[in-house]
Amino acid sequence: MSLVCVEKSLVFRSNTPYPTGTVVVPGGHDLFCVQLNDSKLNYFQQPKDIEESGLVKFLQKYGRHSFLAPSQVQPPFSAFYRAGDPILIYFDSSSVLSTLKQPVKMGASGLCVDGNPAGFLDSKSTSCTRIFANFSKSCMTDPALDAASYYRDFTVLKVPVNETIVQSMKVRVTAVAPPEAPHMTDNTCTNVVSEVIYEIEFSGTSGIQSVSVQFKVINVSGSSGSSLQQRFTLHFWTRTLSHALPRSGNPGYINGAPLLIASNGAMQHMSILWSESDGSCSQFLRHMVQFGRNTRTGCKLSLSPILEDSNCSYIQKKLYKAFQGMNRAEDLAVTGSAYSAQTEEWTAILIQNCSVQAVNCTSCCMIPVTLEIQIFWTKVGLLSNPQAQILGARYFYQCHPLKFLRTSALPVTTVVTFTDVTDWPEPPRGQPQMHWKLPFDIFFPVKVALKLERSYRGDLAGYFLLILIMSSILCF
């Protein structure tokens, strides 16, 4: 046996995981030894050749499952979307099934993570930051900056599918006033997406009915290490929840209860524009109109730069839609307990729009800047328990001539007024009173009798006095 030994005192530490030992030398120093040339001590044996005849034996002795992870079986989809389920999208060009994404921020820096799936019925807004090492190059190559990547080349599936995807299951994403693709101009990247807003209409277990997307774009100066703050919003709404709306009174409206309106036969609450914290008009949040409470709101409506070259009618439609909201109000409920199927409980809303052209201005456009909602109501029924009932309503737009169109934000105002036109009846009378009509001399006989009685009493007293005087004289 061949050993290589050194004095133990020379070995301060050993990092080897293998067992070691020392050899005690009588009368000398202990030695630390390593044994050499012993094949039995090697951890890696010389491999033997396997012949074809012995392959079966080796498989029986050493054959095991592979280290590769088994393929994951995709769980079957539900027949309809549930709250929180990822929304499925389909790329027709590549036949790939994926999910609609809503980027979120990660870590203290708030950098965007694009893999987060959007949840069904999860209306929320997220914001995050993107950092670019070479912004001038990313301007035209990064899909996160291009509005087209958020709606083109894919469709949204109405419900989850377990079989072949047919055309009736697909919902096309409609872009509202889509901007042009980003491009560099004088070291500035134009049409960069800073905000994405999805409006998703659903209908119970029937799934997603329509999807629209709006964009807010800005211009960013290109420089090394540029950053961009982006905001992403999903808003879910439905036309089929009219039965779930609470009553606003029974039957008359209660002061402070929301007004009921109908749009295409679906009941909703009347709403008006609402302002964000920075003064801009909210894209999806609106203020609910309450019965009997006069309201005034104001905000700045953002206009996309692409609108500068648009025609007058297109700009008017955009502003009217912003005032009216997602659905245009057509009818107003007369009472707080109206049902959509009972036409007699609804009154049509009168709408007065602007004319297309301005007076004495050939290059101007008459655009609505103020909406006045005038509501006339009255009290009906018993005086002891009157019920508030709406007689009529009018949308009156105040317009202003504006030249094309060099402003990025337009101040707009909405005013709601309630006018009580109750025709009160005459006040109720008390118990009937008797009105005596007697002649002015009805008491004349009584007066004469009293006067005669007083005269008789005076004569009787005189006679009695005379008798007393005569009696006294005769006695003396």
Side-chain angles (χ1 to χ4, degrees):
M1 182 171 63
S2 176
L3 296 176
V4 175
C5 301
V6 295
E7 290 188 9
K8 184 180 178 181
S9 59
L10 299 179
V11 181
F12 298 97
R13 63 181 182 179
S14 174
N15 293 327
T16 176
Y18 309 123
T20 57
T22 57
V23 176
V24 178
V25 179
H29 299 286
D30 294 342
L31 301 178
F32 178 85
C33 303
V34 177
Q35 184 176 354
L36 302 178
N37 298 328
D38 189 348
S39 61
K40 294 182 180 180
L41 298 179
N42 291 335
Y43 285 87
F44 297 97
Q45 301 291 336
Q46 186 69 24
K48 297 179 180 180
D49 295 332
I50 300 177
E51 298 179 357
E52 184 177 355
S53 59
L55 182 61
V56 177
K57 295 181 179 179
F58 276 94
L59 288 176
Q60 293 176 350
K61 183 177 181 181
Y62 300 105
R64 294 182 179 89
H65 296 292
S66 172
F67 285 103
L68 297 177
S71 60
Q72 299 293 331
V73 179
Q74 181 70 25
F77 291 117
S78 172
F80 51 87
Y81 286 115
R82 294 183 172 89
D85 286 350
I87 299 174
L88 300 181
I89 62 175
Y90 184 72
F91 293 88
D92 293 319
S93 58
S94 57
S95 300
V96 173
L97 189 65
S98 184
T99 58
L100 184 66
K101 303 297 192 300
Q102 184 176 15
V104 294
K105 61 183 178 181
M106 178 185 67
S109 59
L111 297 179
C112 291
V113 177
D114 295 312
N116 179 62
F120 183 67
L121 296 186
D122 188 10
S123 295
K124 65 179 181 180
S125 296
T126 59
S127 60
C128 57
T129 303
R130 298 187 187 276
I131 297 178
F132 307 93
N134 188 348
F135 190 78
S136 59
K137 180 179 180 181
S138 300
C139 172
M140 294 179 289
T141 59
D142 195 331
L145 306 181
D146 189 359
S149 63
Y150 296 97
Y151 69 96
R152 287 184 185 171
D153 301 329
F154 69 88
T155 55
V156 177
L157 299 187
K158 290 184 176 180
V159 294
V161 293
N162 290 319
E163 52 190 20
T164 305
I165 299 175
V166 296
Q167 191 65 31
S168 60
M169 299 179 181
K170 304 174 185 177
V171 177
R172 184 70 59 182
V173 181
T174 304
V176 180
E180 297 178 354
H183 60 276
M184 291 295 299
T185 304
D186 298 332
N187 201 34
T188 299
C189 184
T190 61
N191 297 326
V192 176
V193 173
S194 63
E195 186 172 2
V196 182
I197 302 171
Y198 285 103
E199 294 280 351
I200 302 177
E201 178 191 357
F202 69 97
S203 177
T205 57
S206 299
I208 295 174
Q209 303 301 306
S210 65
V211 181
S212 64
V213 61
Q214 304 178 44
F215 301 98
K216 184 177 181 180
V217 295
I218 59 175
N219 299 333
V220 181
S221 299
S223 59
S224 179
S226 297
S227 63
L228 173 66
Q229 185 82 11
Q230 288 185 318
R231 186 179 182 88
F232 303 90
T233 300
L234 263 76
H235 179 226
F236 293 85
W237 63 281
T238 182
R239 301 176 187 266
T240 59
L241 291 182
S242 58
H243 63 278
L245 291 178
R247 289 181 176 180
S248 296
N250 188 20
Y253 276 100
I254 299 174
N255 191 41
L259 261 64
L260 301 179
I261 61 173
S263 177
N264 296 325
M267 289 176 57
Q268 299 176 17
H269 290 152
M270 180 183 288
S271 62
I272 58 178
L273 284 172
W274 189 242
S275 175
E276 296 280 7
S277 58
D278 59 354
S280 63
C281 298
S282 177
Q283 296 288 344
F284 64 93
L285 294 178
R286 293 176 65 85
H287 178 71
M288 185 181 300
V289 178
Q290 298 174 323
F291 179 81
R293 298 182 179 177
N294 297 336
T295 307
R296 182 184 183 94
T297 63
C299 57
K300 290 186 177 180
L301 184 64
S302 298
L303 298 177
S304 174
I306 195 175
L307 296 180
E308 295 182 1
D309 300 324
S310 300
N311 56 32
C312 179
S313 60
Y314 179 82
I315 299 172
Q316 284 186 329
K317 290 179 181 179
K318 178 180 175 64
L319 292 173
Y320 284 135
K321 186 174 182 180
F323 277 116
Q324 296 164 0
M326 182 61 62
N327 297 308
R328 177 178 178 177
E330 298 173 348
D331 300 307
L332 179 62
V334 173
T335 60
S337 59
Y339 292 93
S340 58
Q342 299 174 343
T343 57
E344 68 276 5
E345 296 184 353
W346 297 84
T347 180
I349 299 176
L350 303 178
I351 300 177
Q352 183 176 348
N353 293 336
C354 304
S355 60
V356 176
Q357 295 296 333
V359 180
N360 300 327
C361 183
T362 57
S363 62
C364 296
C365 179
M366 290 295 290
I367 60 172
V369 294
T370 301
L371 169 60
E372 291 187 11
I373 303 177
Q374 302 168 345
I375 301 172
F376 300 93
W377 66 282
T378 184
K379 292 181 179 180
V380 298
L382 299 176
L383 289 172
S384 60
N385 185 25
Q387 301 294 311
Q389 177 176 309
I390 291 178
L391 298 180
R394 181 176 74 156
Y395 278 31
F396 178 73
Y397 289 95
Q398 294 185 6
C399 307
H400 181 75
L402 189 68
K403 293 186 177 180
F404 288 87
L405 213 189
R406 303 299 175 183
T407 178
S408 60
L410 181 69
V412 293
T413 306
T414 306
V415 181
V416 183
T417 57
F418 291 84
T419 304
D420 184 0
V421 294
T422 302
D423 185 11
W424 293 95
E426 294 182 4
R429 297 175 179 176
Q431 295 296 326
Q433 302 293 331
M434 297 183 66
H435 297 279
W436 297 96
K437 294 183 179 180
L438 303 174
F440 70 93
D441 58 347
I442 187 173
F443 296 104
F444 178 74
V446 179
K447 292 180 180 179
V448 173
L450 291 176
K451 185 181 296 184
L452 293 176
E453 182 180 359
R454 286 195 294 269
S455 177
Y456 172 76
R457 288 179 179 177
D459 294 343
L460 183 62
Y463 294 151
F464 183 72
L465 179 61
L466 182 59
I467 292 171
L468 290 178
I469 294 172
M470 293 301 293
S471 299
S472 61
I473 293 173
L474 293 175
C475 289
F476 288 103

